Amino acid sequence: MLLVMATEPDDKTLMIRYRKGDETAFELLYSRHRGPLYRYFLRHGVDRETAAELFQEVWAKVIQARKRYEPTAKFTTFMYTLAHNVRVDHHRRAGRRPDLAAVSNDPELITAPTRGNPDSVVEVSATMRRFRAALDQLPSDQRDAFLLREEGGLSLADIAGATGVSAETAKSRLRYAVRKLRDALGAENGGDSHD
Amino acid sequence: MTDPRDDADFEAYLDGDSPVSRRYAQFASEEPPPELDTEILEAARHAVRPNVVPLKKSPRRWMMPVTVAATIVLSFSLVMSIVFDPSVIPTDNEMQLKTLLKENDMAQAEARAPAADAIASAAPPPSMPGENAMGRAKPAKKMETTGLATQAIDMPAAGAPASVALSIDAAGSTVRDTSELLADLRALAPRADADELAAAEQSRLRRENGAFAALQSKSLPDEADLADHAAGPDADDEIGKILALFDADEEQAALDALKSFSRSRPGHPASQIYFEWSGDAQ
């Protein structure tokens, strides 16, 4: 893994190369972040169609911003800042909170292991459902901080920057989110959240 | 107040060692649909590709060769027009004229020598103190044009002053100055130069018109006058001979010849000049 990371250019380099007209640089950049960004929208309680629209809107903004892109920050910070703003604008336009129930009941969004004994599969699937339920029940800001951390790999400072809050606020939101999700796993494991 | 266990779990989470992250990663595996990937990648490629416009005929494609061809044709035409311009290149007639002028100069030089000897032997002119200072006109060139009209005339060299010799009789009295007469006669002669030819022609026309007007005022033109007037080349020959006599310092002979010419051709402009100069009645 370290060898691959050392040989492959980082996101900033790829973005600069794409700005200069290198199409393959964008393809590599896109391949790195397509899944996490798509799931970032999907975990925020929008349906697949809406997630695809928001996902496409963010990438369109990335393409448009290539000429003015300056590698002063991580590319993920830049991209997830766009994603956060697109999501907030979408919910503002919709005028309602995301339909989390519809997302939680979507069987395709719950990927269960296909190997192992049937009892284990059923147990893991139940754990997944509870974890997903706990994630969906998180307040939007806490869920946003958690998804930015998990999908975008943003640091606390980057999360604060992307969401426009202080580092302490971002840390507090993430802390609460992690504790609630841990509690959900701990209830399943008899109060021991450690695997 | 935070729970120390929460702090430890959160620090472990931030360090990447947390069951929460592992559990989330187990079910977070959704991917965007392939058609969405294709659409976005195509948009990204289209954004950085140079605009490929359909191939169409540009008006500038033919401008360069046409410009070069036009330049060559115009330059060639200009050079050819300069090289073969009749006004620049001497024509055959002009070449022949130059040759004839040279031959005429040589012939005049040869003819002038025995004439001068004869004059010197017959009656040497009295010494004239101012003769050298007054200067003499250069020998006139006899020009004969071919092709247009065959005529022999005498004309002074370009820039040469008109003869201003004073005729002095044997008693020492000064007679009339022939320089004005000579100048007027020379003005009748056509010139090789176009401007001079035009000026001479105008002068001749003026004189002829004057003569014609004089004849009209006097009486109806008689046939002799009209015949004299029509006999241009012969009259010019005679005038040329008279001028040649002047040039050869045979002034008296020239005046006699001019007097005879004027009486035989009273309607000729030269005759009018002579009559005006001499005061003789026609």
Side-chain angles (χ1 to χ4, degrees):
Chain A
M1 182 66 180
L2 291 176
L3 181 62
V4 173
M5 293 295 290
T7 55
E8 290 185 352
D10 58 8
D11 293 343
K12 292 180 181 178
T13 304
L14 291 175
M15 190 62 182
I16 292 173
R17 283 169 50 186
Y18 173 63
R19 184 179 64 187
K20 295 178 180 177
D22 188 354
E23 300 174 8
T24 58
F26 181 85
E27 293 173 359
L28 182 56
L29 192 68
Y30 179 77
S31 66
R32 286 181 184 176
H33 301 286
R34 55 187 286 275
L37 182 63
Y38 181 72
R39 289 189 293 272
Y40 169 79
F41 288 117
L42 208 57
R43 293 289 173 266
H44 264 293
V46 297
D47 55 25
R48 288 179 176 272
E49 185 178 356
T50 303
E53 291 177 0
L54 301 180
F55 173 82
Q56 190 172 9
E57 184 177 350
V58 171
W59 283 111
K61 289 181 181 294
V62 171
I63 293 170
Q64 291 175 357
R66 70 189 184 280
K67 292 183 178 178
R68 63 176 185 273
Y69 173 77
E70 294 295 338
T72 55
K74 292 170 61 179
F75 173 76
T76 49
T77 304
F78 163 71
M79 188 182 71
Y80 279 97
T81 300
L82 295 176
H84 170 80
N85 294 333
V86 166
R87 184 189 62 81
V88 170
D89 290 342
H90 167 72
H91 289 310
R92 191 173 295 158
R93 288 194 303 266
R96 59 178 177 84
R97 293 179 60 83
D99 187 2
L100 298 176
V103 176
S104 300
N105 294 329
D106 187 351
E108 295 182 6
L109 297 180
I110 300 176
T111 304
T114 56
R115 295 181 181 179
N117 61 61
D119 293 340
S120 176
V121 170
V122 172
E123 181 182 358
V124 170
S125 179
T127 303
M128 291 291 185
R129 288 182 184 278
R130 283 192 294 272
F131 188 86
R132 277 296 307 272
L135 180 61
D136 293 343
Q137 290 172 2
L138 287 176
S140 177
D141 293 339
Q142 294 179 15
R143 184 171 59 249
D144 192 39
F146 178 77
L147 293 175
L148 289 174
R149 174 71 183 181
E150 291 296 326
E151 297 292 355
L154 270 60
S155 65
L156 286 175
D158 293 337
I159 294 172
T163 56
V165 298
S166 65
E168 287 301 321
T169 301
K171 181 178 180 180
S172 175
R173 289 174 177 175
L174 184 59
R175 177 194 291 271
Y176 281 114
V178 170
R179 186 171 67 181
K180 289 177 182 176
L181 294 174
R182 186 200 61 194
D183 290 346
L185 293 175
E188 174 191 3
N189 295 331
D192 185 7
S193 61
H194 298 279
D195 291 344
Chain B
M1 185 172 181
T2 59
D3 186 354
R5 184 182 175 187
D6 288 346
D7 291 339
D9 288 344
F10 187 65
E11 291 299 327
Y13 171 79
L14 292 178
D15 292 338
D17 182 18
S18 169
V20 174
S21 295
R22 285 193 295 272
R23 188 65 71 181
Y24 177 79
Q26 285 180 353
F27 71 89
S29 58
E30 299 90 343
E31 298 287 339
E35 58 270 19
L36 190 56
D37 293 341
T38 303
E39 191 172 350
I40 291 172
L41 291 175
E42 184 61 30
R45 280 191 288 266
H46 186 267
V48 295
R49 279 178 184 168
N51 292 332
V52 181
V53 296
L55 188 63
K56 61 181 180 181
K57 291 183 178 180
S58 172
R60 294 183 179 179
R61 284 189 172 181
W62 53 266
M63 284 182 68
M64 181 59 71
V66 167
T67 302
V68 171
T71 303
I72 292 173
V73 169
L74 290 176
S75 301
F76 182 77
S77 302
L78 181 62
V79 170
M80 295 301 289
S81 64
I82 292 174
V83 169
F84 295 106
D85 188 0
S87 63
V88 176
I89 302 175
T91 61
D92 293 340
N93 289 340
E94 289 174 337
M95 294 294 289
Q96 192 174 1
L97 174 61
K98 290 181 179 179
T99 305
L100 289 173
L101 285 174
K102 287 184 179 179
E103 292 175 357
N104 187 53
D105 286 344
M106 295 176 63
Q108 276 197 344
E110 291 175 356
R112 194 174 299 131
D117 293 340
I119 292 172
S121 60
S127 175
M128 297 177 61
E131 182 175 352
N132 292 334
M134 300 293 286
R136 299 173 62 184
K138 292 183 179 179
K141 294 180 180 178
K142 187 173 183 181
M143 184 179 72
E144 180 177 358
T145 59
T146 59
L148 299 176
T150 302
Q151 53 183 347
I153 58 169
D154 288 336
M155 56 177 294
S163 176
V164 198
L166 292 176
S167 297
I168 303 175
D169 61 5
S173 60
T174 303
V175 298
R176 304 193 62 164
D177 185 6
T178 60
S179 61
E180 185 179 356
L181 171 65
L182 189 56
D184 289 338
L185 289 176
R186 291 188 192 283
L188 292 176
R191 307 298 173 93
D193 183 79
D195 295 335
E196 293 178 355
L197 283 172
E201 182 66 14
Q202 288 181 356
S203 175
R204 187 181 66 82
L205 289 175
R206 281 198 300 272
R207 293 183 188 283
E208 287 181 351
N209 291 335
F212 186 68
L215 289 173
Q216 278 189 325
S217 63
K218 182 178 69 176
S219 61
L220 290 175
D222 53 9
E223 294 182 2
D225 289 344
L226 293 177
D228 291 342
H229 201 67
D234 295 338
D236 288 340
D237 285 343
E238 290 189 28
I239 293 174
K241 291 175 182 177
I242 293 169
L243 289 174
L245 289 174
F246 274 113
D247 291 335
D249 290 337
E250 296 179 18
E251 189 171 295
Q252 190 57 47
L255 289 174
D256 293 338
L258 180 58
K259 183 177 181 180
S260 174
F261 173 84
S262 299
R263 289 181 175 176
S264 62
R265 302 170 187 269
H268 195 275
S271 302
Q272 297 295 324
I273 292 171
Y274 175 74
F275 291 141
E276 290 178 3
W277 176 79
S278 65
D280 292 347
Q282 301 181 27

